[in-house]
């Protein structure tokens, strides 16, 4: 159901935990539950970006463009290096850049919520706040493009239909293994 790889040995035990995965994979829901279980703080990277920019993600894409969003995203990840005992839910594109992956590897540990596309689509369908939301074929293509990046996370959990509570137990087990 899940596995770990390349578990970093250099982080202190309170280093941040980043949840990686596609739109609709459950990063925010599971992240909140995981933070509560571990008695960590929870942050949603998109919300940190919005607070820093003073605009919604949607407005950043429309008014400033995706490249600027990715720059702000990188800065927000960098700022996470100051946090400890924190679970951070990333946006679906944040783990795609090599630079971001390297940065997160130095800051903390990453967990990929590998969620089947049909479940992601069921959750995100019709959500107009996601600027990159396209039709099913476009989403399949985007997920396939990103899969190799997501797979570089330290741990992977195949979410299937597991509940957030079940996923929290599984992630906590992996993090302690
Ligand atoms: C994005 C996913 C979004 C948000 C932005 C870009 C992506 O976050 O960061 O719209 O590139 O997949 P969620 O994964 O929380 O929807």
């Amino acid at each position: 159901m899940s596995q770990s790889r390349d578990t970093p040995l250099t982080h202190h035990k309170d280093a941040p935990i980043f949840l990686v995965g596609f739109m609709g994979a459950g990063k925010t829901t599971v992240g909140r539950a995981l933070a509560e279980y571990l008695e960590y703080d929870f942050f949603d990277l998109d919300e940190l970006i919005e607070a820093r920019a003073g605009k919604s993600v949607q407005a950043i894409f429309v008014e400033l463009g995706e490249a600027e969003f990715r720059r702000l995203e990188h800065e927000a990840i960098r700022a996470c290096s100051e946090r400890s005992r924190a679970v951070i839910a990333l946006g679906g594109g944040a783990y795609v850049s090599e630079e971001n992956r390297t940065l997160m590897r130095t800051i903390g540990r990453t967990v990929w919520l590998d969620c089947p596309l049909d479940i992601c689509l069921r959750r995100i369908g019709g959500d107009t706040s996601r600027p990159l939301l396209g039709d099913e074929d476009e989403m399949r293509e985007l997920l396939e493009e990103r899969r190799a990046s997501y797979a570089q996370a330290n741990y992977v959990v195949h979410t299937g239909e597991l509940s957030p509570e079940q996923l929290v137990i599984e992630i906590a087990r992996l993090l302690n293994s």
Side-chain angles (χ1 to χ4, degrees):
M1 184 174 82
S2 52
Q3 64 193 84
S4 65
R5 62 172 74 82
D6 297 339
T7 308
L9 301 172
T10 48
H11 299 122
H12 60 89
K13 69 176 179 38
D14 294 337
I17 297 156
F18 295 96
L19 295 190
V20 175
F22 202 59
M23 290 173 260
K27 302 177 297 282
T28 302
T29 305
V30 174
R32 266 186 217 290
L34 180 65
E36 195 172 318
Y37 180 86
L38 297 174
E39 299 185 346
Y40 277 22
D41 294 325
F42 173 75
F43 299 95
D44 181 296
L45 195 77
D46 282 341
E47 284 177 14
L48 296 176
I49 296 166
E50 288 177 336
R52 289 163 80 95
K55 291 178 194 295
S56 68
V57 167
Q58 172 78 1
I60 297 169
F61 267 77
V62 172
E63 294 169 24
L64 308 174
E66 179 169 355
E68 177 61 8
F69 174 78
R70 298 299 173 198
R71 197 191 64 75
L72 293 166
E73 187 173 55
H74 180 77
E75 288 312 308
I77 295 168
R78 189 177 291 286
C80 290
S81 64
E82 285 152 29
R83 305 199 182 277
S84 71
R85 299 181 67 82
V87 174
I88 297 143
L90 298 176
Y95 206 64
V96 174
S97 109
E98 169 75 57
E99 205 185 356
N100 286 352
R101 290 197 297 272
T102 304
L103 180 57
M104 281 183 257
R105 222 168 277 137
T106 66
I107 297 175
R109 295 187 286 175
T110 49
V111 181
W112 173 27
L113 298 187
D114 182 13
C115 182
L117 182 67
D118 58 322
I119 299 179
C120 293
L121 292 178
R122 208 194 297 150
R123 294 187 184 137
I124 61 180
D127 181 350
T128 53
S129 69
R130 285 184 165 93
L132 293 184
L133 188 60
D135 66 26
E136 185 172 339
D137 286 344
E138 289 166 333
M139 292 293 93
R140 178 170 297 107
E141 203 174 307
L142 188 59
L143 174 57
E144 289 318 314
E145 253 174 57
R146 290 176 170 182
R147 191 173 284 283
S149 299
Y150 294 156
Q152 293 177 49
N154 298 121
Y155 308 94
V156 53
V157 179
H158 302 291
T159 66
E161 299 279 3
L162 293 182
S163 68
E165 293 72 25
Q166 289 169 311
L167 289 168
V168 162
I169 301 295
E170 182 57 16
I171 295 168
R173 187 188 68 74
L174 282 172
L175 291 170
N176 282 323
S177 63

